[in-house]
């Protein structure tokens, strides 16, 4: 369950991986650009319809303006997501890996893990890295804090469970160093994956399960 801030907290010297802040540096400027493009498209569309601007082809002008206007929708969504996640971070200490969302946090203890490995894949323009945390037993797919990290996929090696937590790693050397420092016996090494392997959380299944449980 989610640990309230009055409960045990990460060690003062815990290694901090500010994943949300890094994403916000990219997501917020991009979202603002898309929103401005959308506003510009709306202004252009009003100008064409109102007659204050007459392009060579009114229909082509409206199509172009409409295309720009539609960019504002994903821009707003991206802004909301980036803003909400700006304080998200991972902390690593002698207890385990803490996932801190700014207002809530929870920990995945070392003693609950069978192994930790690094997945690496290469997309068209970027590389993607993630820490794969394999549990020794049951994993709560609908934990209020950790459910977005749950993935089900072929394991790092035979004998490990398919269901695990996946934490996207931004500063890979720092993340690997922290894990190997605190839990060297759990380190499984690195494995390459094709394409972007990060994936998405099971939002539909989470909603259905929490609704059925009345959670």
């Amino acid at each position: 369950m989610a640990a309230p801030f009055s409960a045990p907290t990460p060690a003062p010297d815990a290694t901090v991986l500010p994943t949300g802040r890094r994403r916000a540096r990219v997501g917020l400027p991009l979202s603002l650009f898309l929103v401005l493009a959308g506003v510009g498209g709306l202004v252009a569309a009003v100008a064409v319809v109102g007659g204050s601007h007459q392009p060579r082809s009114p229909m082509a002008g409206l199509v172009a303006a409409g295309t720009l206007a539609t960019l504002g929708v994903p821009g707003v969504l991206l802004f909301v997501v980036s803003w909400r996640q700006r304080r998200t971070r991972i902390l690593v200490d002698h207890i385990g890996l803490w996932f801190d969302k700014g207002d809530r946090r929870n920990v995945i203890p070392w003693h609950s893990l069978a192994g930790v490995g690094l997945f690496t894949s290469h997309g068209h323009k970027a590389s993607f890295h993630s820490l794969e945390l394999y549990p020794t037993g049951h994993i709560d797919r609908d934990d209020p804090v950790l459910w977005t990290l749950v993935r089900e996929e072929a394991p790092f090696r035979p004998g490990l469970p398919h269901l695990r937590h996946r934490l996207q790693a931004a500063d890979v050397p720092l993340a690997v160093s922290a894990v190997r420092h605190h839990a060297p016996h759990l380190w499984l090494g690195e494995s390459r994956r094709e394409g972007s392997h990060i994936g998405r959380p099971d939002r539909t299944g989470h909603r259905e399960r929490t609704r059925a449980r009345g959670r």
Side-chain angles (χ1 to χ4, degrees), residues 168-182:
Q168 191 168 354
D171 191 331
V172 177
L174 182 60
V176 171
S177 175
V179 173
R180 298 188 68 176
H181 173 73
H182 291 288

Side-chain angles (χ1 to χ4, degrees), residues 114-201:
V116 181
L118 179 72
F119 275 2
T120 299
S121 62
H122 300 282
H124 295 296
K125 297 182 179 180
S127 296
F128 301 89
H129 310 275
S130 66
L131 291 174
E132 307 290 309
L133 280 59
Y134 295 94
T136 55
H138 170 73
I139 184 172
D140 184 358
R141 293 180 298 174
D142 303 307
D143 179 274
V145 176
L146 302 176
W147 74 270
T148 58
L149 307 178
V150 177
R151 299 291 188 275
E152 186 171 7
E153 190 180 299
F156 197 87
R157 61 181 60 165
L160 293 171
H162 282 65
L163 207 62
R164 90 294 296 269
H165 289 109
R166 171 174 293 163
L167 289 89
Q168 191 168 354
D171 191 331
V172 177
L174 182 60
V176 171
S177 175
V179 173
R180 298 188 68 176
H181 173 73
H182 291 288
H185 60 291
L186 295 177
W187 184 245
L188 301 172
E190 180 178 354
S191 179
R192 293 190 176 274
R193 289 292 185 268
E194 297 295 330
S196 174
H197 70 278
I198 300 300
R200 299 179 181 277

Side-chain angles (χ1 to χ4, degrees), residues 38-100:
V39 172
L42 288 175
V43 171
V46 170
V48 171
V49 173
S52 59
H53 176 65
Q54 291 297 329
R56 292 184 178 180
S57 172
M59 183 55 66
L62 284 174
V63 170
T67 301
L68 284 175
T70 58
L71 294 177
V73 176
V76 171
L77 295 177
L78 179 59
F79 180 87
V80 172
V81 172
S82 299
W83 185 257
R84 286 180 176 176
Q85 296 182 349
R86 73 190 188 284
R87 293 187 294 172
T88 300
R89 58 182 185 161
I90 300 168
L91 300 99
V92 187
D93 66 4
H94 64 283
I95 298 176
L97 289 99
W98 300 77
F99 185 60
D100 189 336

